[in-house]
Amino acid sequence: MSATSDGRLARGEQRKTRVLDAAVQVVAQSGSGALTHRAAAAGAGVSVASVTYHFPSIGDLRQAMFDHAGSRVGLAFRTIIEAGGSRTGDVPEICGTFAASLVTERRVDTAAVLEMILAAGHDPSLRPLVTFFNDRLGELLTPYTGGRFRALTVAAAIQGLVLGHLAQSDADTARGLHDSVVDLVRRYRAAHDAGTPASCSEPS
């Protein structure tokens, strides 16, 4: 492959990333219904033809945008886990730090992901992506919470807390969310360590 071809491929990937970044901004600011090829093109500073080249249908663009934002949220979680260590006692703090980051530095990605989760309620094409996203969170939490069902329950509860705090962005709000998530994870861990009461048991 020639250097010229390499350069074109690199520019194409950069343009594609700009389009996805712009799509995330559109959804985070105006909702999933506002995402169009034209809106993404305007945000990215490229032609509509450039957007449709990479994403022929609006469904393709929506799914790629969801995966783009979700991957960055997932990467943020992994980065925090790696920084915090893997000891059981670290897990509540890791989860609290992650939740606080979702309403601060990862705010736009988080808003886009939550918008698309809501959109999946009436758009079946998005449901496999929502399931995949939730499964990834579940895989990360399972070793710490004592089981997959418990992990998915904790993940859903964290999402609900984040959604409730997303309308605000001050430091006190982020700290309150952090503390709520720390308490939540500690309670689930304590229930597991105590023998997993029936109300929290894994479904058969």
Side-chain angles (χ1 to χ4, degrees):
M1 183 179 294
S2 68
T4 300
S5 297
D6 286 343
R8 288 176 180 171
L9 286 173
R11 288 193 297 274
E13 285 303 309
Q14 290 170 358
R15 188 179 301 112
K16 182 177 179 180
T17 299
R18 288 207 311 274
V19 169
L20 290 174
D21 288 342
V24 169
Q25 288 283 349
V26 170
V27 173
Q29 292 174 2
S30 304
S32 61
L35 181 60
T36 64
H37 288 101
R38 189 173 299 279
V46 301
S47 68
V48 174
S50 293
V51 179
T52 56
Y53 173 79
H54 292 291
F55 311 105
S57 73
I58 191 61
D60 294 331
L61 179 59
R62 293 177 73 184
Q63 291 184 23
M65 184 286 307
F66 187 25
D67 188 61
H68 186 62
S71 294
R72 293 194 298 205
V73 169
L75 178 60
F77 197 9
R78 289 183 177 88
T79 299
I80 291 170
I81 288 175
E82 291 170 0
S86 59
R87 297 184 302 276
T88 298
D90 296 331
V91 174
E93 180 64 30
I94 289 170
C95 292
T97 299
F98 173 60
S101 76
L102 294 182
V103 298
T104 51
E105 62 264 25
R106 292 259 65 95
R107 178 182 180 80
V108 172
D109 289 331
T110 302
V113 167
L114 291 176
E115 281 283 348
M116 299 309 279
I117 289 174
L118 291 174
H122 53 78
D123 185 348
S125 70
L126 290 172
R127 290 172 192 167
L129 286 171
V130 172
T131 299
F132 176 63
F133 182 67
N134 287 337
D135 283 349
R136 286 196 294 179
L137 288 177
E139 289 169 4
L140 290 168
L141 285 165
T142 294
Y144 307 134
T145 57
R148 178 174 172 74
F149 177 72
R150 190 189 301 273
L152 292 175
T153 301
V154 174
I158 291 174
Q159 288 177 15
L161 288 169
V162 169
L163 181 62
H165 285 76
L166 199 59
Q168 304 175 58
S169 60
D170 58 89
D172 289 341
T173 295
R175 171 51 59 180
L177 176 59
H178 167 277
D179 292 347
S180 295
V181 171
V182 167
D183 182 62
L184 171 73
V185 177
R186 282 177 176 162
R187 287 175 183 271
Y188 268 87
R189 186 68 200 186
H192 169 62
D193 291 344
T196 311
S199 60
C200 295
S201 61
E202 299 283 322
S204 58

